[in-house]
Amino acid sequence: MLNLMLAAALVVTAPAQLRAVDVARPAAPIAESRRSVSDDNEHMIKARKALETGDFDLARREFVIAAALERDAGRLPKDAVFGLAHSLYSLSYTREAAIVMNRLAEEASQAGDVDTEAMALADALWLNMEAGQRAQARADGSRLRHLLKTAKLSAATREYVSTRAR
């Protein structure tokens, strides 16, 4: 529960000038949330509905809560974090979206989930480039190349990563 409060506090306290929605910005090129164990989580349901209706701030808050609940339950919060990154990007928080994707990649690495790690790194690399974080993007690219060479990634993950390189 402590994770939930800390995560919500970190994301909710962004400066006011960062909270403005950039309406002209295209939809995020981030992985669409896939169904998982968290599907019955009321916060995931609310977050997905808010994302569909364009209420990105509500979606962000609900994804933060859903991710914290997943972590508290000992699960990797892939769907919640991908959704959170999508919401953050849509709110023009590109750097913050990259940070949450890098954190997911690290968590996936520790859990041994190479597919999630690769997809999170692919998105983090793109987001870090968008945010002007070139050094972090290079580090993400290096980790991703290593995974592509050494890990047994699914065909779907390899396809996903290749679409990010375009």
Side-chain angles (χ1 to χ4, degrees):
M1 195 57 158
L2 180 60
N3 282 339
L4 171 66
M5 291 185 295
L6 290 174
L10 288 174
V11 176
V12 174
T13 58
Q17 68 268 23
L18 292 177
R19 290 195 182 127
V21 177
D22 185 356
V23 178
R25 206 165 187 171
I30 298 172
E32 289 301 316
S33 295
R34 294 160 309 283
R35 302 281 183 219
S36 75
V37 179
S38 63
D39 288 343
D40 60 347
N41 179 329
E42 69 180 90
H43 297 288
M44 285 295 290
I45 294 167
K46 286 181 186 176
R48 285 186 176 122
K49 184 171 282 286
L51 200 58
E52 288 172 9
T53 62
D55 190 350
F56 301 118
D57 198 46
L58 175 61
R60 174 185 55 83
R61 287 192 304 268
E62 293 297 327
F63 280 127
V64 166
I65 295 168
L69 291 173
E70 287 286 304
R71 285 185 181 106
D72 286 348
R75 295 186 294 260
L76 189 63
K78 353 179 200 192
D79 293 346
V81 174
F82 275 103
L84 175 59
H86 184 118
S87 300
L88 288 168
Y89 180 82
S90 296
L91 289 166
S92 299
Y93 297 147
T94 307
R95 182 177 289 172
E96 291 80 358
I99 290 168
V100 299
M101 293 311 290
N102 280 120
R103 180 178 179 194
L104 178 62
E106 188 58 40
E107 288 175 305
S109 175
Q110 291 172 359
D113 186 344
V114 291
D115 286 313
T116 299
E117 180 182 6
M119 291 190 315
L121 282 171
D123 283 345
L125 184 139
W126 188 91
L127 288 163
N128 277 311
M129 287 299 291
E130 281 287 306
Q133 303 295 309
R134 306 264 187 258
Q136 183 61 50
R138 278 192 296 277
D140 294 340
S142 178
R143 271 179 70 192
L144 184 56
R145 273 192 305 279
H146 177 74
L147 274 178
L148 289 170
K149 289 179 183 177
T150 62
K152 293 190 180 208
L153 299 172
S154 70
T157 299
R158 288 186 181 278
E159 174 66 24
Y160 181 85
V161 169
S162 73
T163 63
R164 292 293 177 256
R166 294 179 196 159

